[in-house]
């Protein structure tokens, strides 16, 4: 009886030390578009707030917050290979907890994956940035103004 | 007979006084001090100083504008983050653009009744995200002071505005001027029914000449770094500019100019002390002390100047006159020591408690002084509208050909925050800019990030 108790305690201790190691799986140079990681609260994307945005600019700045020591990588989706390839090598969030990265927008439809890893787990977040013409954005702005005036 | 005797006695007395006073000048003050130069002394002649006074009278407007109304930075917003530009006073385009911006501001504020709309924070941010120019000032201004400095109708302006810290001019499709009091969440918009073609042309030239040759700039509010979320401990003032990469800045050399007798005499005149009548002595540490009636001026070997006035005069200075008094003393001292570095009002000036502070500008960047005695190049104290003390660290800064690259923005922020306690719960960064730190030691100084913390909340 006593032997069984000792064995189960040792087993529990071993498992509890192994589980975090399993969950802290490193993201490689390519990842799948469906990758999600094993956690949802490692990183919080601040921009774009809804994880998708439209712009006429040729670059976009993604911003995020996370715990100090969190490892961040950025990938871009390549439709021809159906995989995401690393475009920004690993950087670590510092004491401020703030992170930002500038990405180029070569295509009309650009999909990025931001991955975050720390001792608590890993997370991958998909971000869609569409490129639209400046005139379209101006037209959208004028529509907004017209609607606002209508309600006044 | 009596008359003749009195005349003779008077003559003897005058001759005796001539010898006594003459010998005092010869033996105590030295008639020909070491380094005496007849030709350089011409600049100290009364007629020359009259000319200088007349000249500075006409230059005053420009001087005060440059001291108190010069923004630290001009951000040219194009509507795209990739082409957004930031200029500091060392950039060649800075002053021409600023001149045109002032013309637009004068047009906007010249009427007796200024048509203003109070707008939302979002509308102000929209202006910064479209074609516009943002003037980042080092301090908060009262509407009255700003209008008087810029030379517009200050009575009309005080009717619509109280204080503000940020100004923007949007020029597409229409010209509008924006005033923002970020801390109190108050924003105003003025439609300008006059042309701003010259400003638009200057901005266009600048954007074209700098294409693709600068870091990408986002305002903190763009990246939502001004809004706390979850466990986020750090928030930034919404208008802090976040740079994607670091640029190179020149190294400067700090020098302590030599103050010979002529220079000291001229400094005394700036403080309305008469070099011939006041008494002077040297303290053990080498500090020269000048005393005249109710005022004392001390200058130590390290260039630390301290003026104190104990008597009060009937004249009570208003806000504008207090600023111009300090500017005129600082300009006088700098001109005397032939210092060409500009000065700018410091973030910490507060007219409510009668404190005015100025910082040196070197290589277009602010010099953040952190010495034992002073936190700014100039610190002046007023009581009941009268100057009580004026302190200055006399320095000149030379820009060298060497250049260094400071840390990247987020790296610098992380380092600054690491210095705070681990038990810190929240930290709010009020200002973050590239400047030079000067601990009053002479020698080379590299440009670095200067982080001003607004408040820190420490928890368990």
């Amino acid at each position: 009886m006593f032997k069984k108790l000792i064995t189960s305690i040792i087993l529990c201790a071993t498992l509890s030390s192994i589980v975090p190691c399993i969950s802290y799986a490193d993201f490689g140079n390519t990842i799948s578009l469906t990758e999600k990681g094993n956690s949802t609260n490692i990183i919080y994307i601040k921009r774009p707030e809804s994880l998708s945005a439209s712009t006429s600019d040729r670059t976009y700045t993604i911003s995020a917050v996370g715990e100090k020591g969190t490892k961040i990588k950025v990938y871009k989706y390549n439709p021809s290979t159906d995989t995401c390839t690393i475009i920004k090598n690993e950087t670590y969030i510092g004491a401020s907890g703030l992170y930002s990265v500038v990405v180029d927008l070569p295509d009309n439809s650009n999909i990025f994956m931001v991955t975050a890893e720390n001792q608590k787990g890993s997370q991958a977040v998909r971000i869609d940035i569409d490129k639209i013409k400046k005139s379209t954005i101006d037209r959208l702005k004028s529509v907004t103004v017209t609607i606002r005036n209508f309600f006044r | 007979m009596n008359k003749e005797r009195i005349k003779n006695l008077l003559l003897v007395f005058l001759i005796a006084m001539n010898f006594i006073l003459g010998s005092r000048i010869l033996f105590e003050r030295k008639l020909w001090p070491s380094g005496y130069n007849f030709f350089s002394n011409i600049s100290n002649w009364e007629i020359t100083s009259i000319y200088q006074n007349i000249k500075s009278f006409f230059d005053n407007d420009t001087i005060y504008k440059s001291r108190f109304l010069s923004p630290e930075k001009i951000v040219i917003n194009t509507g795209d983050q990739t082409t957004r530009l930031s200029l500091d006073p060392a950039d060649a385009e800075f002053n021409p653009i600023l001149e045109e911006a002032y013309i637009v501001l004068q047009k906007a504020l010249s009427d007796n009744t200024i048509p203003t709309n109070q707008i939302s924070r979002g509308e102000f941010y929209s202006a910064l995200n479209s074609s516009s120019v943002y003037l980042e000032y080092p301090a908060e201004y009262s509407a009255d002071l700003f209008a008087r400095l810029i030379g517009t109708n200050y009575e009309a302006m005080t009717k619509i505005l109280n204080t503000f810290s940020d100004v923007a001019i949007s020029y597409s499709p229409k010209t509008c001027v924006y005033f923002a009091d970020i801390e109190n969440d108050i924003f105003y918009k003025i439609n300008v029914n006059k042309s701003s073609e010259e400003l638009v042309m200057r901005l266009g030239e600048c954007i074209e000449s700098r294409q693709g040759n600068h870091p990408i700039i986002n305002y903190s509010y763009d990246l939502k770094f001004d809004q706390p979320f979850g466990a986020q401990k750090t928030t930034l003032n919404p208008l802090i500019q976040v740079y994607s990469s670091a640029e190179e800045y020149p190294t400067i050399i700090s020098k302590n100019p030599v103050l010979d007798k002529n220079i000291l005499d001229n400094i005394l005149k700036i403080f309305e002390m008469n070099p011939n009548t006041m008494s002077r002595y040297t303290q053990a540490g080498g500090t020269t002390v000048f005393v005249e009636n109710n005022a004392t001026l001390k200058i130590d070997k390290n260039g630390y100047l301290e003026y104190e006035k104990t008597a009060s005069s009937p004249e009570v200075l208003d806000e504008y006159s207090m600023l111009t008094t300090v500017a005129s003393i600082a300009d006088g001292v700098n001109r005397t020591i032939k210092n060409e570095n500009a000065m700018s009002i410091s973030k910490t000036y507060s007219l409510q408690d009668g404190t005015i502070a100025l910082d040196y500008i070197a290589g277009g960047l602010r010099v953040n002084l952190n010495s034992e005695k002073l936190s700014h190049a100039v610190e002046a104290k007023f009581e009941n509208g009268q100057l009580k003390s004026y302190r200055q660290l006399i320095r000149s800064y030379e820009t060298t050909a060497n250049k260094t690259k400071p840390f990247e923005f987020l790296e610098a922020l992380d380092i600054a925050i690491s210095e705070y306690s681990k038990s810190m719960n929240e930290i709010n960064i009020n200002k973050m800019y590239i400047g030079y730190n000067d601990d009053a030691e002479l020698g080379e100084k590299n440009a670095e990030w200067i982080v001003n913390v607004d408040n820190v909340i420490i928890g368990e």
Side-chain angles (χ1 to χ4, degrees):
Chain A
M1 179 66 188
F2 185 69
K3 246 185 183 178
K4 275 184 182 173
L5 187 70
I6 298 286
T7 317
S8 58
I9 288 168
I10 292 168
L11 201 66
C12 284
T14 316
L15 275 172
S16 63
S17 62
I18 289 171
V19 167
C21 297
I22 295 165
S23 65
Y24 189 62
D26 194 18
F27 291 108
N29 284 343
T30 53
I31 58 168
S32 153
L33 195 59
T34 54
E35 181 65 62
K36 292 243 184 308
N38 57 19
S39 185
T40 53
N41 56 2
I42 306 297
I43 191 170
Y44 173 72
I45 303 293
K46 296 208 112 189
R47 188 189 195 228
E49 221 168 356
S50 56
L51 305 181
S52 67
S54 299
T55 178
S56 60
D57 208 345
R58 56 177 193 272
T59 62
Y60 189 85
T61 304
I62 296 167
S63 70
V65 287
E67 265 184 34
K68 183 187 171 185
T70 303
K71 183 163 76 179
I72 309 280
K73 290 178 187 172
V74 182
Y75 299 79
K76 187 172 186 305
Y77 175 65
N78 184 348
S80 60
T81 58
D82 196 26
T83 54
C84 301
T85 317
I86 195 160
I87 54 164
K88 302 280 176 186
N89 283 322
E90 60 187 48
T91 49
Y92 291 85
I93 292 179
S96 68
L98 306 180
Y99 173 80
S100 76
V101 62
V102 177
V103 288
D104 289 327
L105 304 174
D107 310 314
N108 287 337
S109 175
N110 303 275
I111 302 171
F112 300 96
M113 293 288 280
V114 177
T115 65
E117 299 160 71
N118 63 20
Q119 71 281 4
K120 288 182 182 168
S122 65
Q123 186 184 356
V125 184
R126 174 181 164 159
I127 293 170
D128 291 61
I129 314 287
D130 290 335
K131 241 173 104 174
I132 52 175
K133 284 180 183 171
K134 202 169 175 65
S135 55
T136 313
I137 285 196
D138 291 341
R139 209 166 49 240
L140 283 170
K141 275 183 186 170
S142 66
V143 168
T144 317
V145 170
T146 316
I147 291 168
R148 201 185 294 156
N149 290 342
F150 175 78
F151 282 108
R152 272 183 184 171
Chain B
M1 184 66 185
N2 268 349
K3 260 188 184 176
E4 284 298 311
R5 186 170 282 177
I6 291 166
K7 273 184 186 175
N8 284 339
L9 280 172
L10 192 65
L11 196 64
V12 169
F13 174 73
L14 287 173
I15 292 166
M17 284 304 287
N18 174 45
F19 281 110
I20 292 164
L21 295 173
S23 61
R24 271 195 69 183
I25 291 168
L26 272 171
F27 298 110
E28 286 177 32
R29 303 244 175 99
K30 291 182 185 175
L31 196 57
W32 305 104
S34 58
Y36 179 83
N37 181 335
F38 174 82
F39 294 101
S40 74
N41 213 29
I42 289 172
S43 62
N44 300 323
W45 286 3
E46 205 59 34
I47 193 154
T48 320
S49 70
I50 291 167
Y51 164 73
Q52 289 289 350
N53 287 340
I54 293 168
K55 189 172 171 283
S56 66
F57 176 80
F58 289 106
D59 284 348
N60 270 353
D61 270 1
T62 324
I63 289 166
Y64 300 149
K65 254 188 203 175
S66 68
R67 298 293 174 273
F68 300 122
L69 210 54
S70 179
E72 288 190 295
K73 218 181 273 178
I74 295 177
V75 182
I76 303 172
N77 304 302
T78 57
D80 289 336
Q81 65 166 27
T82 314
T83 47
R84 183 180 278 145
L85 282 172
S86 168
L87 305 175
D88 63 49
D91 291 311
E93 302 96 330
F94 188 91
N95 280 328
I97 287 174
L98 189 59
E99 284 300 316
E100 295 304 331
Y102 282 152
I103 292 169
V104 175
L105 285 172
Q106 279 166 340
K107 282 176 184 173
L109 304 169
S110 60
D111 293 337
N112 285 333
T113 49
I114 303 167
T116 40
N117 298 317
Q118 194 161 348
I119 55 165
S120 67
R121 182 181 282 262
E123 204 171 330
F124 178 67
Y125 290 168
S126 292
L128 299 182
N129 286 341
S130 60
S131 299
S132 63
V133 58
Y134 165 58
L135 310 177
E136 184 184 305
Y137 285 100
E140 196 177 68
Y141 291 91
S142 71
D144 168 46
L145 183 67
F146 188 85
R148 287 177 74 171
L149 287 167
I150 207 165
T152 56
N153 188 337
Y154 64 89
E155 282 174 355
M157 197 167 164
T158 46
K159 281 179 195 161
I160 54 153
L161 279 168
N162 189 16
T163 56
F164 57 88
S165 49
D166 301 278
V167 178
I169 302 167
S170 73
Y171 52 87
S172 179
K174 287 177 187 167
T175 305
C176 297
V177 170
Y178 298 83
F179 291 97
D181 179 358
I182 293 281
E183 270 183 33
N184 296 313
D185 206 23
I186 300 169
F187 303 88
Y188 287 100
K189 176 182 172 183
I190 301 169
N191 291 311
V192 186
N193 299 320
K194 289 160 190 164
S195 159
S196 58
E197 272 174 27
E198 288 292 318
L199 174 66
V200 175
M201 194 186 76
R202 292 264 184 217
L203 294 172
E205 284 168 359
C206 182
I207 294 162
E208 203 164 303
S209 68
R210 286 172 174 251
Q211 258 181 359
N213 193 23
H214 52 84
I216 285 167
I217 304 166
N218 281 285
Y219 293 102
S220 155
Y221 73 78
D222 271 331
L223 306 179
K224 311 276 189 295
F225 285 165
D226 59 327
Q227 297 164 15
F229 176 82
Q232 182 185 339
K233 289 180 174 179
T234 312
T235 50
L236 308 183
N237 177 308
L239 294 178
I240 287 180
Q241 293 108 53
V242 180
Y243 292 78
S244 66
S245 57
E247 284 187 295
E248 285 190 331
Y249 294 90
T251 299
I252 57 164
I253 297 177
S254 159
K255 291 183 174 177
N256 180 14
V258 177
L259 305 179
D260 63 18
K261 187 181 175 299
N262 289 332
I263 290 175
L264 285 176
D265 282 354
N266 283 335
I267 289 175
L268 287 168
K269 284 175 192 167
I270 293 162
F271 291 95
E272 293 172 353
M273 294 173 89
N274 187 342
N276 300 317
T277 56
M278 50 92 228
S279 62
R280 72 174 84 186
Y281 60 92
T282 306
Q283 288 179 335
T287 303
T288 314
V289 184
F290 305 90
V291 184
E292 187 182 64
N293 297 330
N294 301 308
T296 312
L297 181 77
K298 294 179 189 173
I299 301 177
D300 76 8
K301 284 185 170 175
N302 193 33
Y304 174 69
L305 177 153
E306 185 176 4
Y307 171 79
E308 275 182 2
K309 198 176 176 185
T310 49
S312 51
S313 55
E315 192 186 10
V316 175
L317 302 176
D318 64 4
E319 221 177 62
Y320 178 76
S321 307
M322 280 155 68
L323 286 175
T324 52
T325 300
V326 176
S328 120
I329 295 173
D331 280 330
V333 173
N334 289 340
R335 206 167 33 230
T336 305
I337 60 166
K338 296 184 172 58
N339 179 10
E340 289 177 2
N341 295 115
M343 277 185 161
S344 172
I345 195 154
S346 153
K347 172 83 185 158
T348 58
Y349 100 104
S350 162
L351 288 169
Q352 277 77 31
D353 65 8
T355 311
I356 295 173
L358 302 175
D359 292 324
Y360 285 114
I361 302 291
L365 304 176
R366 183 173 292 271
V367 179
N368 189 44
L369 189 65
N370 192 14
S371 74
E372 272 180 30
K373 291 178 176 171
L374 282 174
S375 306
H376 301 280
V378 167
E379 287 178 6
K381 189 92 185 153
F382 287 82
E383 268 176 39
N384 304 319
Q386 295 185 353
L387 181 67
K388 286 292 162 192
S389 70
Y390 176 95
R391 299 186 297 156
Q392 179 173 354
L393 186 72
I394 297 174
R395 284 287 180 274
S396 68
Y397 299 95
E398 267 177 32
T399 307
T400 69
N402 295 342
K403 286 190 171 186
T404 56
K405 201 182 257 191
F407 288 109
E408 292 197 0
F409 182 92
L410 283 179
E411 213 178 343
L413 183 66
D414 290 337
I415 292 167
I417 288 171
S418 301
E419 287 177 14
Y420 285 88
S421 161
K422 276 185 182 173
S423 57
M424 171 198 88
N425 265 3
E426 275 175 51
I427 187 164
N428 184 38
I429 308 297
N430 187 36
K431 213 167 165 59
M432 189 160 162
Y433 58 96
I434 299 269
Y436 296 100
N437 266 320
D438 187 358
D439 53 3
E441 292 293 321
L442 305 178
E444 289 197 350
K445 319 271 174 205
N446 291 332
E448 51 193 337
W449 282 102
I450 295 166
V451 181
N452 289 352
V453 175
D454 191 22
N455 65 325
V456 183
I457 296 172
I458 308 284
E460 287 181 13

